[in-house]
């Protein structure tokens, strides 16, 4: 709370912090946030239900998001979702009985140049196929270390990632590939052709 000029501005990271302890935004967590920030539980609930990164039911240790928005869907996202849902035996926003995997249909992962994209605890797995997605969740359930396509060298658990999102870095921010070749193609082409952005008006 001390990081912000107004305490209620801390609500979003506090909800992530609740998830880092409870594995979802629990009723006790909602009441805690309300009490600490001097707002009502209804106000906290309104925020927690508006943003999709907050789980209202316990997430799996590995929360898997499958992008089903336009480009990913065209490239196979819907097929990945159907295959994965059948493979793990749960639907949207549900977790497996052993608590290892939960899955979610994501409207956009903001990584269209790598479509179709799957995320595990918000780490990218690019250019996926149904078989690769099945292998990914099988490896996670078997306790194997899994490396994202970009970002950190391995996927951490949902609670640990929630703590990072709450504003407590785990020291892995600079690991791995940050921007893949697909993302840099436009920049490389512009340099090759000598293109430059138009200069804006100065005040």
């Amino acid at each position: 709370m001390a990081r912000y000029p107004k305490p209620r501005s801390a609500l979003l990271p506090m909800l992530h912090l609740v998830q880092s302890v409870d594995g979802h935004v629990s009723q006790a967590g909602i009441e805690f946030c309300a009490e600490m920030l001097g707002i009502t539980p209804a106000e906290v609930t309104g925020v927690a239900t508006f943003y999709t990164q907050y789980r209202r039911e316990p997430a799996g240790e590995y929360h898997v998001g499958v992008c089903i928005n336009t480009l990913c869907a065209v490239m196979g996202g819907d097929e990945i979702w159907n295959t994965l849902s059948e493979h793990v035996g749960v639907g949207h926003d549900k977790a497996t009985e052993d608590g290892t995997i939960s899955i979610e249909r994501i409207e956009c992962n903001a990584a269209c140049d790598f479509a179709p994209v799957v995320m595990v605890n918000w780490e990218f797995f690019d250019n996926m196929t149904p078989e690769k997605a099945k292998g990914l969740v099988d490896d996670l359930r078997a306790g194997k270390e899994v490396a994202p396509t970009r970002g950190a060298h391995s996927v951490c658990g949902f609670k640990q990632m929630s703590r990072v999102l709450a504003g407590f870095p785990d020291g892995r921010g600079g690991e791995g590939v940050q921007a893949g070749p697909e993302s840099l193609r436009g920049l490389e082409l512009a340099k090759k052709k000598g293109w430059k952005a138009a200069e804006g008006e100065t005040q």
Side-chain angles (χ1 to χ4, degrees):
M1 290 166 55
R3 296 179 181 181
Y4 300 91
K6 295 184 179 179
R8 69 180 299 155
S9 298
L11 179 55
L12 297 180
M14 282 179 71
L15 288 170
H16 284 299
L17 198 57
V18 167
Q19 290 195 141
S20 78
V21 176
D22 293 342
H24 69 296
V25 177
S26 61
Q27 187 60 39
I30 287 172
E31 292 170 6
F32 171 79
C33 290
E35 181 181 351
M36 293 296 294
L37 298 172
I39 57 180
T40 67
E43 289 174 298
V44 177
T45 301
V47 171
T49 55
F50 180 82
Y51 293 102
T52 58
Q53 278 190 315
Y54 300 120
R55 313 260 59 84
R56 294 311 310 275
E57 296 182 27
E61 182 180 357
Y62 300 103
H63 186 69
V64 181
V66 180
C67 185
I68 46 84
N69 212 329
T70 308
L71 187 55
C72 278
V74 168
M75 299 294 287
D78 286 334
E79 186 181 355
I80 291 171
W81 168 261
N82 292 333
T83 299
L84 203 54
S85 179
E86 183 179 346
H87 184 63
V88 299
V90 296
H92 173 69
D93 260 352
K94 300 296 180 187
T96 54
E97 283 188 20
D98 64 4
T100 310
I101 303 290
S102 54
I103 61 174
E104 176 185 10
R105 293 166 66 93
I106 301 281
E107 282 302 322
C108 185
N109 278 328
C112 300
D113 41 352
F114 297 96
V117 176
V118 169
M119 295 189 94
V120 178
N121 296 340
W122 316 117
E123 299 285 3
F124 288 101
F125 290 83
D126 305 320
N127 303 308
M128 293 297 285
T129 66
E131 287 307 309
K132 283 164 69 174
K134 283 167 60 176
L136 172 62
V137 297
D138 287 346
D139 285 347
L140 291 168
R141 294 182 92 172
K144 295 181 180 178
E145 189 171 281
V146 174
T149 312
R150 292 171 283 137
H153 292 316
S154 62
V155 174
C156 64
F158 179 79
K159 289 182 177 181
Q160 182 181 344
M161 180 53 68
S162 294
R163 184 169 173 77
V164 172
L165 293 173
F168 299 93
D170 60 2
R172 305 190 315 147
E175 287 183 3
V177 175
Q178 302 300 305
E182 291 87 341
S183 298
L184 298 174
R185 247 177 227 146
L187 177 62
E188 290 170 358
L189 182 62
K191 285 180 178 178
K192 183 177 179 182
K193 300 274 189 182
W195 296 340
K196 294 183 178 178
E199 291 186 15
E201 292 183 11
T202 57
Q203 295 289 327

